[in-house]
């Protein structure tokens, strides 16, 4: 497990939260990130167990993406301790495919060349239902197909930590639901620790083992999702949790989180 802070970088073995419970993949303690005179993250504390799916909600500008970028080594902390596994990948809202490379080459970008790598990439494409698109150009893909390629690119690296930065936000409502189901299936199969950053309360409840709400740089909510799977928004338990999370987000209880097409 990699350890980073404002002043140090080291490697240590994975441990358990407080010495008990499931093996910990991510441990954050006293995390602070400041922009100008504003503490975007202000002494934040969070743990994520191996194989656990955590969704992070918060208003725009609340620090969700800043936290994800720190976990993905795309940004640094000003203070505190962040322990993460060395094998981690990020899937962004935009697929970020290389236009000049075909699908298979996009999946294997920056990986060692060779037959074994290509075979792993073809297996990953099969998992996301795109095995017949290995020789396609990114410009010929739909938005959902391009995002599935981005998922395959993440999976082929066998991450212990998968970071999802609103990966479904640009998709139409039906494709979004299908992608949510695909991600849920893939995460159950591969068992990485997952942090999903999203604005969509229904999405968070549908997918996550735990839902956290970030406000003023701190987690004001960290709640397990006990709704039975498959999770139906019409389930009273689903609706009750949605109600509480919307209240934590400062949204009127009667408001339903809209789907992208609405």
């Amino acid at each position: 497990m990699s350890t980073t802070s404002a002043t140090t970088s080291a490697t240590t073995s994975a441990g358990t939260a407080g010495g008990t419970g499931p093996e910990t993949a991510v441990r954050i303690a006293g995390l602070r990130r400041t922009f100008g005179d504003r503490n975007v993250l202000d002494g934040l504390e969070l743990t994520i167990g191996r194989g656990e799916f955590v969704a992070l909600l918060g208003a725009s500008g609340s620090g969700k993406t800043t936290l994800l970028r720190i976990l993905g080594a795309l940004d640094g902390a000003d203070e505190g301790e962040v322990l993460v596994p060395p094998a981690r990948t990020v899937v962004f809202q935009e697929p970020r495919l290389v236009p000049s490379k075909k699908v298979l080459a996009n999946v294997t970008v920056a990986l060692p060349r060779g037959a074994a790598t290509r075979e792993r990439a073809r297996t990953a494409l099969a998992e996301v239902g795109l095995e017949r698109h290995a020789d396609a150009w990114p410009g010929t893909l739909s938005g959902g197909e391009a995002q599935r390629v981005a998922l395959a690119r993440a999976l082929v690296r066998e991450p212990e930590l998968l970071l999802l930065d609103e990966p479904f936000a640009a998709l139409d409502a039906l494709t979004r639901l299908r992608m949510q189901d695909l991600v849920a299936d893939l995460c159950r199969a591969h068992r990485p620790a997952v942090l999903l950053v999203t604005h969509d309360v229904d999405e968070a409840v549908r997918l996550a083992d735990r839902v956290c709400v970030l406000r003023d740089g701190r987690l004001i909510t960290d709640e397990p999702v006990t709704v039975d799977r498959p999770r139906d928004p019409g389930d009273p338990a689903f609706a009750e949790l949605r109600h509480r999370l919307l209240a934590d987000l400062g949204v009127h209880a009667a408001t339903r989180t809209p789907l992208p097409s609405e």
Side-chain angles (χ1 to χ4, degrees), residues 20-36:
T20 61
E23 192 175 10
T24 299
V26 175
R27 184 164 68 247
I28 300 168
L31 177 60
R32 196 177 308 278
R33 183 71 171 98
T34 302
F35 294 100

mmCIF file of all heavy atoms in Angstrom, residues 20-36:
data_model
loop_
_atom_site.group_PDB
_atom_site.id
_atom_site.type_symbol
_atom_site.label_atom_id
_atom_site.label_comp_id
_atom_site.label_asym_id
_atom_site.label_seq_id
_atom_site.Cartn_x
_atom_site.Cartn_y
_atom_site.Cartn_z
ATOM 1 N N THR A 20 -9.233 -4.189 13.038
ATOM 2 C CA THR A 20 -10.349 -5.120 12.976
ATOM 3 C C THR A 20 -11.097 -4.911 11.668
ATOM 4 O O THR A 20 -10.895 -3.932 10.962
ATOM 5 C CB THR A 20 -11.336 -4.896 14.140
ATOM 6 O OG1 THR A 20 -11.859 -3.582 14.046
ATOM 7 C CG2 THR A 20 -10.636 -5.079 15.474
ATOM 8 N N GLY A 21 -12.018 -5.835 11.369
ATOM 9 C CA GLY A 21 -12.867 -5.669 10.205
ATOM 10 C C GLY A 21 -12.160 -6.073 8.932
ATOM 11 O O GLY A 21 -11.091 -6.665 8.948
ATOM 12 N N PRO A 22 -12.771 -5.763 7.752
ATOM 13 C CA PRO A 22 -12.200 -6.183 6.474
ATOM 14 C C PRO A 22 -10.872 -5.495 6.211
ATOM 15 O O PRO A 22 -10.602 -4.415 6.714
ATOM 16 C CB PRO A 22 -13.268 -5.731 5.463
ATOM 17 C CG PRO A 22 -13.981 -4.612 6.144
ATOM 18 C CD PRO A 22 -13.992 -4.968 7.600
ATOM 19 N N GLU A 23 -10.051 -6.123 5.402
ATOM 20 C CA GLU A 23 -8.764 -5.543 5.065
ATOM 21 C C GLU A 23 -8.968 -4.196 4.380
ATOM 22 O O GLU A 23 -9.817 -4.042 3.513
ATOM 23 C CB GLU A 23 -7.999 -6.492 4.154
ATOM 24 C CG GLU A 23 -6.547 -6.118 3.986
ATOM 25 C CD GLU A 23 -5.789 -7.147 3.176
ATOM 26 O OE1 GLU A 23 -6.452 -8.040 2.605
ATOM 27 O OE2 GLU A 23 -4.564 -7.041 3.120
ATOM 28 N N THR A 24 -8.196 -3.223 4.785
ATOM 29 C CA THR A 24 -8.366 -1.861 4.306
ATOM 30 C C THR A 24 -7.584 -1.633 3.030
ATOM 31 O O THR A 24 -6.396 -1.954 2.948
ATOM 32 C CB THR A 24 -7.918 -0.855 5.380
ATOM 33 O OG1 THR A 24 -8.720 -1.025 6.547
ATOM 34 C CG2 THR A 24 -8.059 0.575 4.884
ATOM 35 N N ALA A 25 -8.242 -1.038 2.018
ATOM 36 C CA ALA A 25 -7.564 -0.651 0.790
ATOM 37 C C ALA A 25 -7.161 0.819 0.830
ATOM 38 O O ALA A 25 -6.110 1.190 0.313
ATOM 39 C CB ALA A 25 -8.472 -0.905 -0.409
ATOM 40 N N VAL A 26 -8.001 1.651 1.424
ATOM 41 C CA VAL A 26 -7.753 3.092 1.493
ATOM 42 C C VAL A 26 -7.937 3.555 2.929
ATOM 43 O O VAL A 26 -8.923 3.200 3.579
ATOM 44 C CB VAL A 26 -8.738 3.863 0.580
ATOM 45 C CG1 VAL A 26 -8.571 5.374 0.750
ATOM 46 C CG2 VAL A 26 -8.548 3.458 -0.876
ATOM 47 N N ARG A 27 -6.980 4.317 3.403
ATOM 48 C CA ARG A 27 -7.135 4.963 4.712
ATOM 49 C C ARG A 27 -6.677 6.403 4.607
ATOM 50 O O ARG A 27 -5.537 6.682 4.217
ATOM 51 C CB ARG A 27 -6.350 4.229 5.793
ATOM 52 C CG ARG A 27 -6.578 4.836 7.195
ATOM 53 C CD ARG A 27 -6.129 3.925 8.326
ATOM 54 N NE ARG A 27 -4.695 3.756 8.378
ATOM 55 C CZ ARG A 27 -4.057 2.619 8.129
ATOM 56 N NH1 ARG A 27 -4.748 1.536 7.759
ATOM 57 N NH2 ARG A 27 -2.751 2.534 8.206
ATOM 58 N N ILE A 28 -7.568 7.331 4.940
ATOM 59 C CA ILE A 28 -7.303 8.764 4.877
ATOM 60 C C ILE A 28 -7.462 9.327 6.287
ATOM 61 O O ILE A 28 -8.466 9.062 6.953
ATOM 62 C CB ILE A 28 -8.292 9.465 3.928
ATOM 63 C CG1 ILE A 28 -8.164 8.881 2.514
ATOM 64 C CG2 ILE A 28 -8.068 10.967 3.907
ATOM 65 C CD1 ILE A 28 -9.274 9.306 1.586
ATOM 66 N N ALA A 29 -6.476 10.089 6.724
ATOM 67 C CA ALA A 29 -6.508 10.646 8.074
ATOM 68 C C ALA A 29 -6.033 12.105 8.042
ATOM 69 O O ALA A 29 -4.938 12.390 7.550
ATOM 70 C CB ALA A 29 -5.625 9.838 9.022
ATOM 71 N N GLY A 30 -6.883 13.005 8.525
ATOM 72 C CA GLY A 30 -6.507 14.408 8.649
ATOM 73 C C GLY A 30 -6.165 15.068 7.327
ATOM 74 O O GLY A 30 -5.318 15.973 7.284
ATOM 75 N N LEU A 31 -6.825 14.648 6.233
ATOM 76 C CA LEU A 31 -6.488 15.152 4.902
ATOM 77 C C LEU A 31 -6.963 16.602 4.739
ATOM 78 O O LEU A 31 -8.137 16.915 4.949
ATOM 79 C CB LEU A 31 -7.129 14.274 3.830
ATOM 80 C CG LEU A 31 -6.927 14.714 2.384
ATOM 81 C CD1 LEU A 31 -5.448 14.759 2.024
ATOM 82 C CD2 LEU A 31 -7.694 13.791 1.432
ATOM 83 N N ARG A 32 -6.022 17.453 4.319
ATOM 84 C CA ARG A 32 -6.337 18.859 4.082
ATOM 85 C C ARG A 32 -5.785 19.279 2.723
ATOM 86 O O ARG A 32 -4.641 18.980 2.379
ATOM 87 C CB ARG A 32 -5.716 19.734 5.180
ATOM 88 C CG ARG A 32 -6.289 21.144 5.244
ATOM 89 C CD ARG A 32 -5.668 21.928 6.404
ATOM 90 N NE ARG A 32 -5.769 21.201 7.660
ATOM 91 C CZ ARG A 32 -6.850 21.186 8.438
ATOM 92 N NH1 ARG A 32 -7.921 21.866 8.079
ATOM 93 N NH2 ARG A 32 -6.858 20.495 9.555
ATOM 94 N N ARG A 33 -6.642 19.947 1.951
ATOM 95 C CA ARG A 33 -6.205 20.523 0.670
ATOM 96 C C ARG A 33 -6.779 21.920 0.584
ATOM 97 O O ARG A 33 -8.002 22.125 0.696
ATOM 98 C CB ARG A 33 -6.707 19.667 -0.499
ATOM 99 C CG ARG A 33 -6.210 20.176 -1.863
ATOM 100 C CD ARG A 33 -4.724 19.922 -2.031
ATOM 101 N NE ARG A 33 -4.252 20.202 -3.381
ATOM 102 C CZ ARG A 33 -3.662 21.337 -3.754
ATOM 103 N NH1 ARG A 33 -3.481 22.323 -2.863
ATOM 104 N NH2 ARG A 33 -3.237 21.504 -4.996
ATOM 105 N N THR A 34 -5.900 22.889 0.384
ATOM 106 C CA THR A 34 -6.291 24.294 0.417
ATOM 107 C C THR A 34 -6.045 24.941 -0.937
ATOM 108 O O THR A 34 -5.001 24.730 -1.560
ATOM 109 C CB THR A 34 -5.479 25.043 1.493
ATOM 110 O OG1 THR A 34 -5.704 24.418 2.762
ATOM 111 C CG2 THR A 34 -5.901 26.503 1.571
ATOM 112 N N PHE A 35 -7.022 25.713 -1.387
ATOM 113 C CA PHE A 35 -6.877 26.535 -2.577
ATOM 114 C C PHE A 35 -7.115 27.978 -2.157
ATOM 115 O O PHE A 35 -8.228 28.340 -1.760
ATOM 116 C CB PHE A 35 -7.876 26.123 -3.662
ATOM 117 C CG PHE A 35 -7.625 24.739 -4.211
ATOM 118 C CD1 PHE A 35 -8.374 23.653 -3.768
ATOM 119 C CD2 PHE A 35 -6.637 24.511 -5.153
ATOM 120 C CE1 PHE A 35 -8.152 22.383 -4.270
ATOM 121 C CE2 PHE A 35 -6.404 23.237 -5.660
ATOM 122 C CZ PHE A 35 -7.157 22.175 -5.213
ATOM 123 N N GLY A 36 -6.069 28.787 -2.226
ATOM 124 C CA GLY A 36 -6.182 30.156 -1.728
ATOM 125 C C GLY A 36 -6.389 30.137 -0.236
ATOM 126 O O GLY A 36 -5.595 29.551 0.512
#
